[in-house]
Amino acid sequence: MIDLEAVVSLRAVATEGSVAAAAATLGFTPSAVSQQIKRLERDTGVALLERVGRGVVLTEPATRLVVSATPILADLERVGADLHGHGEPDLVSGEIRIGAFSTVVRGVMVPLVADLSRRHPDLRVPLRESEPWETIALVASGQRDLGIVHRWGNVALSIPDHLVETPLFTDVADVILHRDHPLADRSELRPEDIGDEPWVATFESTICRQWLRRLFDGVGGAPRIIHESMEFENHLEIARAGIAVALVPRLGRSPLGPDLVAIPTVSPESIREISSIHRRTMSDSPALRTVLDALSDHTGRIATDAGRLPA
């Protein structure tokens, strides 16, 4: 009999690229994941992992096993959702694992999780911070149940067919300048206005960094990125010191104080669409519906305040 939990671990190794990374994602120890896969190798009689450099890859039989088991795991997921759907109508229990990017964690998910914990003490909603591309992979592979992602303008964000995407609201990013900056009195900024400025930005691998580059399409030599940080709070401090300028989303942004100003961009606008994603097989889960309803309520209030977040 094939151990499906071990297959889940094998699928996580395929997604994450190593046993250690798969263990961190699943909440296990690397030893536990290794033992599961070794037991699976004994049960199936075939080698499942092959070492490549410092990581591992699935062998061809292992890939076939994961692909073949995926619809079975999806069917079990639907069965679980159906079983939970026939309990007490007001009693919501179980676990919905959430993946979300950093600013939505601060701006939406922390109060939402706290509210859900108070209203549904038997519902567990563990939260993991992850970039949108990683979040999609985690939800698609069954390692997270609900993801919150964003897409900037025409920066590609591919959603697999077996995932359901639900739009939530629109966020805006502003150029953050020190109040003494020569451009600080502008009501809006075009890329050519700020093409010569030194910038602080997130890492190259992030969607936010890709959008910053797209913002300056056609403006030679821009953006001139001097500093890098994954924390927008650090971007604000760097702008406050007058060292560089930054493009910082309004969602989850702390008050700027008297030293900074926020100015929106035009031609193009710096906006991003926020949406949730979940596997289609989870659609009938009462626990997921409860979280989605709460998420819709929280983000609906954000959208109603002004259609977009305040500057």
Side-chain angles (χ1 to χ4, degrees), residues 99-101 128-140 144 146-149 277:
F101 58 95
R128 166 177 168 160
E129 184 177 316
S130 51
E131 278 288 296
W133 290 310
E134 181 187 5
T135 298
I136 291 169
L138 290 171
V139 175
R144 294 280 111 178
L146 175 66
I148 312 299
V149 300
I277 55 170

Side-chain angles (χ1 to χ4, degrees), residues 239-251:
R240 185 172 282 113
I243 299 172
V245 301
L247 186 71
V248 181
R250 296 177 187 177
L251 179 63

Side-chain angles (χ1 to χ4, degrees), residues 119-134:
R119 293 194 291 117
H120 304 286
D122 293 326
L123 175 64
R124 298 180 304 280
V125 281
L127 184 61
R128 166 177 168 160
E129 184 177 316
S130 51
E131 278 288 296
W133 290 310
E134 181 187 5

Side-chain angles (χ1 to χ4, degrees), residues 82-102:
D82 184 65
L83 288 174
H84 282 291
H86 289 82
E88 294 291 333
D90 296 327
L91 181 62
V92 180
S93 62
E95 181 177 77
I96 298 298
R97 301 160 299 168
I98 301 174
F101 58 95
S102 60

Side-chain angles (χ1 to χ4, degrees), residues 5-6 9 28 31-41:
E5 186 175 357
S9 292
F28 298 155
S31 176
V33 171
S34 293
Q35 289 302 316
Q36 281 185 326
I37 293 175
K38 286 178 181 176
R39 188 167 59 249
L40 192 57
E41 286 181 323

Side-chain angles (χ1 to χ4, degrees), residues 65-189:
L65 174 59
V66 170
V67 170
S68 298
T70 295
I72 298 172
L73 294 171
D75 286 342
L76 287 174
E77 196 166 66
R78 278 190 291 266
V79 169
D82 184 65
L83 288 174
H84 282 291
H86 289 82
E88 294 291 333
D90 296 327
L91 181 62
V92 180
S93 62
E95 181 177 77
I96 298 298
R97 301 160 299 168
I98 301 174
F101 58 95
S102 60
T103 51
V104 84
V105 168
R106 289 196 300 273
V108 175
M109 301 311 297
V110 169
L112 182 141
V113 168
D115 182 49
L116 284 170
S117 297
R118 286 191 297 268
R119 293 194 291 117
H120 304 286
D122 293 326
L123 175 64
R124 298 180 304 280
V125 281
L127 184 61
R128 166 177 168 160
E129 184 177 316
S130 51
E131 278 288 296
W133 290 310
E134 181 187 5
T135 298
I136 291 169
L138 290 171
V139 175
S141 64
Q143 297 170 62
R144 294 280 111 178
D145 304 307
L146 175 66
I148 312 299
V149 300
H150 62 80
R151 50 160 55 86
W152 289 91
N154 58 355
V155 177
L157 190 65
S158 178
I159 308 293
D161 290 340
H162 70 291
L163 300 187
V164 177
E165 181 179 14
T166 304
L168 295 173
F169 62 94
T170 300
D171 187 20
V172 180
D174 301 299
V175 177
I176 306 299
L177 305 167
H178 192 278
R179 189 166 293 280
D180 294 334
H181 193 284
L183 297 174
D185 60 348
R186 299 284 190 93
S187 61
E188 58 187 32
L189 290 169

